[in-house]
Amino acid sequence: MDTRLLLQANCDTLLKQYEANMKVVQELQSTLIGDVLPSIENELALDAEQIVWAKQWLQDTQTMFQLLRRENFTRSFAIESIRKNLLWRFQKLWSPEPEIHLSRVHFLPSDVRDPLGRPIIVIKATSFKDTSDTYSPLLIRAMEQFRLRLKTMNDVSDQRFPVLQYIVLLDVGNLSVQSLSIDLISWVLRDLVPRFPGMLAAVFIVNSSWAHSGMWNIARRVLPASAISRVFFTSPKELVAYFTSSSLPKDYGGSLPHLYSLPGTPAAGSASPSFRFDTKSYIANASISPTYLSPTSPLNPFFGYPASLYRGLPSLHHGRRRKRDLLRTLAVLLWPRWRRLITTCLWLVALIFTARL
């Protein structure tokens, strides 16, 4: 099928589903805010600021629709999925921070769209030399930034239908196949993208080589059909044919100014900052003193083991479940109930031992 026709069909289907399920989404949001959020509030001992932050996410109608759609519009599955997602967000995204600078990610001006009205992001891919743990905090923040920009765009729009997805131009000209991190790619596809479902309508890969195409032919064997149908290897001519020159920078055959000359992008000729995220500094700057949770505290999800409450999220105090901690807790719980019997037995043993002497 022609690229334009395929994307048009996907877009039409998505908007029909959005319109048909709007009432369901609103009812789902009401349940999430009225029932699910209070239970998480008690579970994590959330403060007022955290509750407001969680509620703002639950009120993002487009995101809730995408999460419901990912669960095939099954309400019970969606509630459980969103609850787990909210817990994950407190662990990975709390507390809110200003927008991070992404030197290789360029949001084209908001009035520049693809033929179907979707905003365009240009990503100049680079090699990843470190482990996935080094980049995962930055990628999580980047995806959240994409979500918030989409929400802001819809909040100020007076269109009948919201913008639900981005179009991505992925420039792989400087990406070496030998330096690709399979571990990082697997983590993004397996763990990160499902947390932000449905945001990408299509990815147009430009400046690719035969090596990139060969790697894609291998990867597509394990990817779902829905992902494969949204990836297109395009030539400059095909790119202009779909987007038209008025929607592309001169870097890609369009009539817009060069990428680094567009508003909101790094200045032309400036050195691009290294795509690196210092995890240790991030944790150190964001850290606060943890709160100790008793092994028998009703707020402790690891009942029987000591835990710490950090930024509203509990974790094992010693990093693992130690048997001696559980035995100590069992002893504490059993003593009030069996104290008299144990004391009596000890006295009897003492008397028998004394009589024998």
Side-chain angles (χ1 to χ4, degrees), residues 124-140:
K124 298 180 75 69
T126 187
S127 302
F128 296 93
K129 298 180 181 179
D130 298 317
T131 64
S132 60
D133 291 340
T134 304
Y135 295 102
S136 58
L138 177 59
L139 293 174
I140 292 171

Side-chain angles (χ1 to χ4, degrees), residues 37 47-59 94:
L37 183 55
D47 59 29
E49 185 181 3
Q50 291 172 317
I51 294 172
V52 170
W53 182 74
K55 189 176 293 185
Q56 288 174 343
W57 179 68
L58 295 173
Q59 290 172 337
W94 178 261

Side-chain angles (χ1 to χ4, degrees), residues 101 103 260 266-274:
H101 174 68
S103 63
Y260 287 102
S270 64
S272 297
S274 174

